[in-house]
Amino acid sequence: MAWFAISDAERQHFALPQTQGFLARGSLVIETRLSSDDRPQTLLAFRERVPWERSLSLQAIPRGGIVLITTQQGESAHVALDLDASERSDLLRITYSWDAPARWGRLAIERPERGSVRSVQAPRPRPLWLEDIKTMTLCHGLIQLDSDVEFFAFSDDIEPLGPMPSLTASVPLLAQDEYRPVARFKRGDLVQTLEHGPVPVLAHLCRTVPARGSFRPVRLRAPYFGLQQDIFVAPDQKLVLSKPMVDYMFGCEAVLVPARHLVNGTSAIWHDLSLTTTYHQLVLPEHETMIAAGAALESLFIGRMRRKPEHHAQSLLSPLSRAHLPEHMLSAHPVLRPFEAITLVEQSAA
């Protein structure tokens, strides 16, 4: 089942046919920006007293952090993660995962636009009643939901953290002499790269996510960016742009531009046709640049995850041995800020 409840300001969806019983194992994901005036925020809160008292509250504390408080039948559980000043200006993805039978829980904060992740253990979590999840999802009048929250969603799985796939299944990648949908690549296949020609695929990752917030698909339109056909990518998928205009404006050979910064209603637009979307990506030996329908795209960047057992264990890469993972150095190309990307696209189209 995975994502069975998805809710934002415009659409609410709850997929379970019955709501009897508890969700003993699952995840709550919220994406939000924090108040610019550093005010306290109740990001999401729910309380019910029938047939017994229970509540869930996720709060952002000024000059503090993110605090999760759950109560059931008079017993409370409290877990918190501090925030630094730089995190307060970014989009945050907050994930609370729990496995009540195993007495294990975790509260995590990711910064999708920067790729960072931090987490803390949440001891002895309680299962959530499915009827409460349905109420939170469908009845916004019965909960507190901050206006800065972009969406929240419930999954019946322990959701992974860290590097995320960013290409929809049909995106064509250049192999040695032909294009092939990214979903058809497997470990050991060769994919063409700008830096080193054909290189072997070390891993193929995929993940289904709500098509909201930092997961909301972007449609990149041909013939812009060298594309031969339209493709759909995640907002944080970076394109490698190397037109003469790049050298003139930024004094470098190439730049990296996240797809979210390219959305302008013409060359790139938001794509809102489904509740969820499945993304794919390839792990390559040296974080090379792939060719997707004529455009240059980054492969998945995993940094030095092989040296971080905790990060590896909670990621999509956990089934793979750390000993067999590559180490990726940061790209030599600078990443453009939003206003720089907008200027580049406007000048290139002029």
Side-chain angles (χ1 to χ4, degrees), residues 68-90:
L68 174 73
I69 303 172
T70 57
T71 63
Q72 286 194 24
Q73 296 180 316
E75 294 187 11
S76 296
H78 174 283
V79 61
L81 259 177
D82 290 335
L83 291 174
D84 60 39
S86 66
E87 287 177 310
R88 292 183 171 275
S89 62
D90 286 346

Side-chain angles (χ1 to χ4, degrees), residues 11-57:
R11 290 185 288 179
Q12 296 81 44
H13 173 77
F14 186 85
L16 296 183
Q18 57 82 31
T19 57
Q20 300 301 310
F22 292 85
L23 186 65
R25 183 177 188 271
S27 297
L28 163 64
V29 174
I30 294 179
E31 286 198 353
T32 187
R33 295 189 184 274
L34 300 186
S35 168
S36 59
D37 57 7
D38 203 25
R39 61 177 170 84
Q41 292 173 272
T42 299
L43 302 175
L44 173 65
F46 168 81
R47 179 179 294 275
E48 181 58 81
R49 292 181 171 84
V50 179
W52 69 87
E53 186 165 351
R54 57 206 182 275
S55 66
L56 180 149
S57 175

Side-chain angles (χ1 to χ4, degrees), residues 278-297:
T278 300
Y279 289 119
H280 300 252
Q281 251 293 10
L282 306 181
V283 178
L284 304 183
E286 297 187 26
H287 184 220
E288 288 93 344
T289 303
M290 306 177 298
I291 308 301
L297 304 183

Side-chain angles (χ1 to χ4, degrees), residues 15-167:
L16 296 183
Q18 57 82 31
T19 57
Q20 300 301 310
F22 292 85
L23 186 65
R25 183 177 188 271
S27 297
L28 163 64
V29 174
I30 294 179
E31 286 198 353
T32 187
R33 295 189 184 274
L34 300 186
S35 168
S36 59
D37 57 7
D38 203 25
R39 61 177 170 84
Q41 292 173 272
T42 299
L43 302 175
L44 173 65
F46 168 81
R47 179 179 294 275
E48 181 58 81
R49 292 181 171 84
V50 179
W52 69 87
E53 186 165 351
R54 57 206 182 275
S55 66
L56 180 149
S57 175
L58 189 67
Q59 303 173 19
I61 307 301
R63 294 175 296 280
I66 301 297
V67 179
L68 174 73
I69 303 172
T70 57
T71 63
Q72 286 194 24
Q73 296 180 316
E75 294 187 11
S76 296
H78 174 283
V79 61
L81 259 177
D82 290 335
L83 291 174
D84 60 39
S86 66
E87 287 177 310
R88 292 183 171 275
S89 62
D90 286 346
L91 175 71
L92 299 181
R93 183 186 304 140
I94 304 166
T95 302
Y96 169 53
S97 296
W98 69 93
D99 187 335
R103 297 189 173 185
W104 173 92
R106 179 185 67 206
L107 180 66
I109 297 174
E110 296 177 89
R111 302 163 76 183
E113 296 167 348
R114 299 175 185 260
S116 66
V117 57
R118 294 189 299 113
S119 64
V120 64
Q121 295 298 302
R124 300 185 64 184
R126 296 293 190 91
L128 297 186
W129 200 18
L130 288 170
E131 185 65 42
D132 292 346
I133 295 176
K134 181 178 180 180
T135 299
M136 283 187 271
T137 303
L138 302 181
C139 305
H140 285 191
L142 300 179
I143 64 173
Q144 285 182 262
L145 185 66
D146 195 275
S147 59
D148 286 331
V149 172
E150 297 200 2
F151 82 92
F152 67 90
F154 286 90
S155 163
D156 62 3
D157 203 355
I158 304 299
E159 292 299 321
L161 308 174
M164 196 201 80
S166 50
L167 305 175

